[in-house]
Structures are given as C-alpha cells and as structure tokens.
Amino acid sequence: GEGNGTTSVYRPQCIGTESNITECSHSGWGTSCSSSRYRDLGAECTDQTTSVRLITADGASSNEGRLELYYNNTWGTVCHSRWDIRDAHVVCRMLGYPFAL
C-alpha cells in the first residue's frame, strides 16, 4: 500500500553488492515523494535487527511489501521511479534473505 508522511531516503540507486541500502547512492534523506513520477517501493525476498522493514498489504507474505527505513527516530517510506532488482537484493540481504525475486 501507499505510504504517507516523510520519506526516509529519496531515489536510492544500488549497484547490488551493498549490504545495506544506506550504502547505495541516493538523492537525500527526509525529503518528500510529492512528484507523481515517484512511487513507494517494495521488494519480495526469498529464503531483524535492522532499520528496514516491509509493510505488507492484506494477505501478502511477510517477505514482501512496501519498504520503510527508520531515520531520525521515525519510520518512513522509500521512493524512486527506477527501483530495480539490484536495489531489492540489497534490501533483502538487510532483512536476512539471500536475494530478491
């Protein structure tokens, strides 16, 4: 589902080898996804004590959902118009999964 409130990280772009999404290049922290070109992101991970979580929709598996990061003492959504499998691999590794689908 669509998130609301502050965006934790704006337009992350990962190579795919990072162990944490905060290691990926990005366009800033604590900004807004106000443009209709950008959307909240998600990932589906296969096979937590981190600052990342997946918010599941009704009936969805716990290993997939909208991505949120903990930043500045609050949870916020992550948005990007060109999110790809390399970015999802990084998030899945952060959650303890070996890779994304």
Side-chain angles (χ1 to χ4, degrees):
E2 185 175 325
N4 55 28
T6 302
T7 301
S8 287
V9 65
Y10 181 63
R11 295 177 57 192
Q13 185 150 358
C14 302
I15 295 169
T17 57
E18 298 88 344
S19 61
N20 190 303
I21 197 167
T22 60
E23 297 170 6
C24 303
S25 64
H26 57 80
S27 296
W29 290 94
T31 60
S32 173
C33 288
S34 58
S35 171
S36 62
R37 294 183 336 154
Y38 301 107
R39 55 191 173 276
D40 295 340
L41 303 176
E44 182 179 356
C45 305
T46 64
D47 224 30
Q48 165 171 25
T49 57
T50 68
S51 58
V52 63
R53 66 183 181 187
L54 299 175
I55 304 300
T56 60
D58 292 337
S61 301
S62 61
N63 66 330
E64 62 181 310
R66 179 173 46 81
L67 177 62
E68 289 191 348
L69 289 177
Y70 193 72
Y71 172 73
N72 204 19
N73 295 321
T74 189
W75 286 99
T77 192
V78 180
C79 63
H80 193 314
S81 62
R82 287 182 250 157
W83 178 259
D84 64 24
I85 192 68
R86 296 171 297 181
D87 304 307
H89 283 313
V90 173
V91 169
C92 290
R93 281 196 295 276
M94 287 178 70
L95 292 166
Y97 296 96
F99 54 87
L101 296 177

